[in-house]
Amino acid sequence: MSEKYDVVIIGAGPAGYVAAIKAAQLGLNTACVEQWLDDKGKILLGGTCLNVGCIPSKALLDSSYKFAEARDHLGVHGISVEAATINVPAMIARKDNIVKQLTGGIAGLFQHNGVTAISGTGKVIAGAKVEVTDKDGNVQIIEAANIIVAAGSVPVHIPPAPLDNEYIIDSTGALDLTEVPGRLGIIGAGVIGLELGSVWGRLGSDVVMLEALEEFLPLVDAQIAKEAAKILKKQGLDIRLGARVTNAEVKDGAVEVSYSSAGSEHVETFDKLIVAVGRRPRSEELFTTDSGLTLDERGYIYVNDFCETEAPHVYAIGDIVRGPMLAHKGSEEGVMVAERIAGKQAQMNYDYIPGVIYTHPEVAGVGQTEQALKANGIDYKVGIFPFAASGRALASSEAEGMVKLIAHAETDRILGCHIVGPGAADLVQEVVIAMEFGSSAEDLALTVFAHPTLSEAVHEAALAVDGHAIHIANRKKRK
Ligand code: FAD
Ligand code: AMP
């Protein structure tokens, strides 16, 4: 039996590593167990987010966008570029360097804050202890006053399209292609499918997205989703809704994909097929039945609002528990749990978690959608401002999309904000802050915004809620 820690965390993704740093900052003797190894067999921190998720996908999105800009969008500024070319291995190497820098940064933060990193696979066993098996099969039992399970998620694989990791790949494989596929099929037009489709589509792939649902991005505000679909289709993404993939086979160096749509069968052939049908919690082999932990009906570790499991002093956070599978959601849960362990009265506001799709332009939202408010019978009012009327957006030739702000019909309290357009991720964050402070649409409308900025579109949308917008014709009568 080794030293007893105040807190032992399983998993060093954005949920686990943030919890570890926070716990150590609060003076708790903290260890973090991580199974991921680098190519030299050393512990690799950062989880899905840093290694095969948020960061590498954004690195490739930015590279591919710069390429598309040089090829397609600079002419309007009077700039001509000799035929732009892309060196895919160089682009991937840049991405790998960014990942390395950031994962190394977490190791540095662990050291700085005194978090002990333990290499191995952790399992919660009876009596709130953690059994750790290292890469050589050595087993140690670690005693902890508190355990935080942050084991994250893995891509969902579907029987009709088994991966061969060469022609049929998942999101991880799609971040490491060595050349641009001529024809690229993607199963699933969700967040990850759209981001990866954007990367390879911009670099020249002919992208076909097969989505089983009839509705595009059902969790996004319907008006914003419709506008996003229009913009993305114009960019060349062939998004086929109501298309359920039934089979995928590698034949003669290509993938033949069968799908059913509107009652008939179709076949398409692709050079590569990305399976992007979602992620599932990585809960297998994570705890023994006598540990006290339980799974809910969807395979997530069951927790209450404070991320407490059914076992005393055992918590679970991030993708392994209910809620949106987003890095920042897990990180905030990590902070909350570390503070509660340290005796603080921390809680987390699950109502205002922003979500972003990093297409170009970005799609971002927070709070309630119009369709959800309608379904719940809540009276609301809406203010919309199109980027076509924004001086700053026009100045940069980025004038597609709109800001939509929704406020309660009587109290005027902001209920949601949904944006498709330039800088949507950062713009929506302004509204998240306003919502956190209980702001009304009028509060935002009375705020001074710098000119010319994209954020003026948020200001104008807030003004438009009550028919007071200046730079568009108001649809509503002013009060
Ligand atoms: P993970 O990041 O999955 O980390 C869990 C860690 O636990 C892993 O390192 C794993 O090796 C380790 N582990 C698991 N089991 C054990 C065990 N038994 N013992 C020891 N260690 C274990 N989210 C966003 O917010 N923004 C984005 O832009 C975004 N883009 C994405 C793009 C892609 C392509 C993908 C795949 C995901 C993206 N996500 C994004 C989602 C985001 O990556 C996840 O929500 C986030 O990583 C979840 O954090 P986590 O700490 O809960 O789990
Ligand atoms: P997300 O959960 O946002 O990553 O989106 C994954 C998408 O994949 C969902 O919209 C699913 O409807 C879709 N999907 C799942 N299985 C299939 C299938 N067999 N064919 C086509 N689309 C699918």
Side-chain angles (χ1 to χ4, degrees):
M1 197 75 79
S2 53
E3 139 180 38
K4 179 164 179 173
Y5 292 93
D6 295 326
V7 187
V8 171
I9 296 157
I10 300 180
Y17 84 70
V18 169
I21 291 170
K22 189 72 199 175
Q25 285 173 347
L26 291 166
L28 300 166
N29 183 15
T30 304
C32 186
V33 184
E34 172 57 57
Q35 66 184 8
W36 212 323
L37 301 171
D38 68 11
D39 44 16
K40 294 190 186 78
K42 283 180 67 185
I43 187 169
L44 189 56
L45 308 173
T48 303
C49 170
L50 262 56
N51 290 288
V52 293
C54 323
I55 297 300
S57 58
K58 265 79 259 177
L60 298 188
L61 278 158
D62 285 351
S63 294
S64 60
Y65 187 68
K66 283 184 194 296
F67 174 72
E69 237 189 342
R71 187 189 53 198
D72 305 329
H73 305 306
L74 294 183
V76 70
H77 298 274
I79 303 168
S80 59
V81 177
E82 289 295 311
T85 56
I86 181 78
N87 176 337
V88 175
M91 177 183 78
I92 300 289
R94 170 188 170 273
K95 178 264 296 178
D96 289 340
N97 276 335
I98 294 161
V99 168
K100 214 170 162 185
Q101 192 180 333
L102 287 168
T103 53
I106 305 299
L109 287 170
F110 271 16
Q111 219 169 10
H112 175 79
N113 287 289
V115 175
T116 306
I118 299 175
S119 185
T121 302
K123 188 188 256 187
V124 184
I125 59 174
K129 293 189 179 86
V130 178
E131 178 192 280
V132 179
T133 309
D134 74 11
K135 63 177 191 299
D136 303 317
N138 302 315
V139 178
Q140 60 168 318
I141 309 291
I142 302 179
E143 276 202 86
N146 300 278
I147 297 171
I148 305 176
V149 182
S153 61
V154 287
V156 168
H157 297 156
I158 50 171
L163 302 198
D164 69 352
N165 289 323
E166 187 178 354
Y167 295 98
I168 307 178
I169 56 182
D170 60 12
S171 62
T172 302
L175 295 169
D176 270 331
L177 293 178
T178 48
E179 56 186 47
V180 181
R183 255 177 93 64
L184 174 64
I186 301 181
I187 312 181
V191 177
I192 293 175
L194 287 169
E195 292 188 359
L196 295 170
S198 294
V199 167
W200 297 104
R202 288 169 191 165
L203 299 179
S205 291
D206 195 0
V207 178
V208 177
M209 307 192 68
L210 303 169
E211 168 56 59
L213 298 177
E214 297 288 346
E215 200 184 341
F216 182 58
L217 296 176
L219 297 180
V220 171
D221 182 90
Q223 187 178 9
I224 296 295
K226 196 170 155 204
E227 183 72 12
K230 205 171 80 190
I231 297 171
L232 296 173
K233 283 181 183 172
K234 212 168 78 188
Q235 290 174 5
L237 290 184
D238 180 352
I239 303 167
R240 300 184 192 171
L241 301 176
R244 175 167 292 280
V245 171
T246 51
N247 194 45
E249 280 174 58
V250 178
K251 279 189 189 162
D252 306 326
V255 196
E256 198 177 274
V257 177
S258 310
Y259 68 95
S260 55
S261 176
S264 50
E265 297 301 317
H266 305 258
V267 178
E268 285 278 359
T269 305
F270 301 109
D271 296 305
K272 298 272 180 195
L273 177 69
I274 303 174
V275 180
V277 295
R279 299 180 63 78
R280 62 170 180 81
R282 189 200 314 239
S283 42
E284 55 286 335
E285 307 270 308
L286 191 55
F287 56 88
T288 53
T289 41
D290 57 3
S291 66
L293 270 64
T294 51
L295 298 181
D296 69 15
E297 66 285 354
R298 298 175 58 213
Y300 294 91
I301 292 184
Y302 176 78
V303 288
N304 65 12
D305 286 351
F306 300 117
C307 293
E308 292 163 346
T309 69
E310 294 192 297
H313 301 288
V314 183
Y315 303 79
I317 57 174
D319 281 9
I320 195 87
V321 302
R322 83 283 174 269
M325 284 189 167
L326 293 169
H328 43 285
K329 174 258 188 188
S331 300
E332 288 306 314
E333 288 177 332
V335 170
M336 169 180 73
V337 167
E339 290 190 334
R340 291 182 72 83
I341 289 172
K344 294 178 186 265
Q345 289 301 310
Q347 57 182 26
M348 165 144 176
N349 188 349
Y350 283 95
D351 292 338
Y352 305 149
I353 300 175
V356 180
I357 309 173
Y358 292 84
T359 44
H360 196 99
E362 294 163 347
V363 181
V366 62
Q368 311 242 34
T369 60
E370 195 172 347
Q371 65 265 28
L373 290 167
K374 251 186 211 145
N376 292 324
I378 298 169
D379 287 338
Y380 60 88
K381 43 190 183 172
V382 172
I384 289 177
F385 191 78
F387 283 102
S390 153
R392 189 70 189 91
L394 283 166
S396 48
S397 289
E398 298 263 11
E400 285 181 310
M402 65 178 94
V403 176
K404 174 173 181 176
L405 196 82
I406 308 178
H408 193 278
E410 274 126 49
T411 65
D412 194 41
R413 192 174 175 138
I414 301 171
L415 299 176
C417 179
H418 309 282
I419 305 177
V420 53
D426 293 302
L427 295 184
V428 96
Q429 194 60 46
E430 300 177 2
V431 182
V432 180
I433 295 167
M435 290 173 82
E436 189 64 39
F437 282 82
S439 168
S440 64
E442 189 186 30
D443 289 326
L444 258 192
L446 290 172
T447 304
V448 181
F449 284 71
H451 174 75
T453 55
L454 292 171
S455 60
E456 285 171 304
V458 173
H459 188 210
E460 289 276 4
L463 284 161
V465 164
D466 278 321
H468 295 139
I470 301 291
H471 292 90
I472 43 161
N474 287 292
R475 278 188 280 172
K476 286 174 199 149
K477 234 177 148 183
R478 285 184 296 276
K479 282 188 210 153

